[in-house]
Amino acid sequence: MQPPDLIAPFVTRLEALGVPYFVTGSTAGILYGEPRLTHDVDLVVDLRPADAARFVAAFPEEEFYCPPEDVLAIEVRRGHRGHCNLIHHATGFKADVYLAFDELHRWALAHRRALDLEGMRVQVAPVEYVIVRKLEYYREGRSEKHLRDVRSMLEVSASTIDHARLTELIAQRGLDAEWALLER
């Protein structure tokens, strides 16, 4: 199964570090829906400026590409759209790390779900968050893969979705037109 192998180099270190995080994007879509190919893992991490040194130390340069501490600190202070990449040298796997900055991130951090994937603890974004973000990505780029991912999650994880909260998030984020595309 691809997701545990893809995420293990990153998630095991985040778990040990104790920094709040969650897996999102296509990897979360796979966990809540149906398997498909993805080349990286998207993570949202709640880092503070004081965490930058510990974060960099958790991903040593012999094993990972990780931005230098001063660059990471700039991204953390940026707030809106702070971002960095991690690359695991041995596998070539990449993590896109987005820094938590908005109300939706805060909600998702408070409602993330701890899953056991082949003996590995993984914090995963709530399915409602993943659906909303996939609708936003569709709005930005019009890639049908995001709508396919949403349809898959709606089918496979239907019983776990808080439909009232999902409807509320869709309205708050102005995604009614994108949502309507799924109701055809």
Side-chain angles (χ1 to χ4, degrees), residues 13 32 71 119 134 183:
R13 290 170 185 274
Y32 288 128
V71 172
K134 287 286 185 177
E183 296 176 340

Side-chain angles (χ1 to χ4, degrees), residues 52-130:
R54 289 185 328 114
F55 185 88
V56 170
F59 297 95
E61 66 181 86
E62 306 81 46
E63 297 177 55
F64 293 88
Y65 162 77
C66 181
E69 181 182 338
D70 58 337
V71 172
L72 184 60
I74 290 168
E75 289 299 309
V76 170
R77 283 193 303 273
R78 177 192 308 227
H80 183 71
R81 298 222 182 237
H83 172 264
C84 72
N85 292 315
L86 298 169
I87 300 172
H88 185 239
H89 298 312
T91 62
F93 291 157
K94 182 179 95 167
D96 288 320
V97 179
Y98 301 93
L99 303 173
F101 67 87
D102 69 7
E103 188 67 30
L104 188 56
H105 286 140
R106 299 278 168 236
W107 177 83
L109 281 163
H111 294 88
R112 61 196 168 147
R113 297 175 181 154
L115 301 180
D116 181 292
L117 299 180
E118 299 179 12
M120 179 178 54
R121 178 183 157 105
V122 178
Q123 300 290 335
V124 181
V127 67
E128 300 84 3
Y129 172 95
V130 180

Side-chain angles (χ1 to χ4, degrees), residues 17-37:
L17 192 59
V19 173
Y21 78 93
F22 58 79
V23 172
T24 188
S26 296
T27 303
I30 292 166
L31 295 171
Y32 288 128
E34 296 176 352
R36 75 167 177 82
L37 184 62

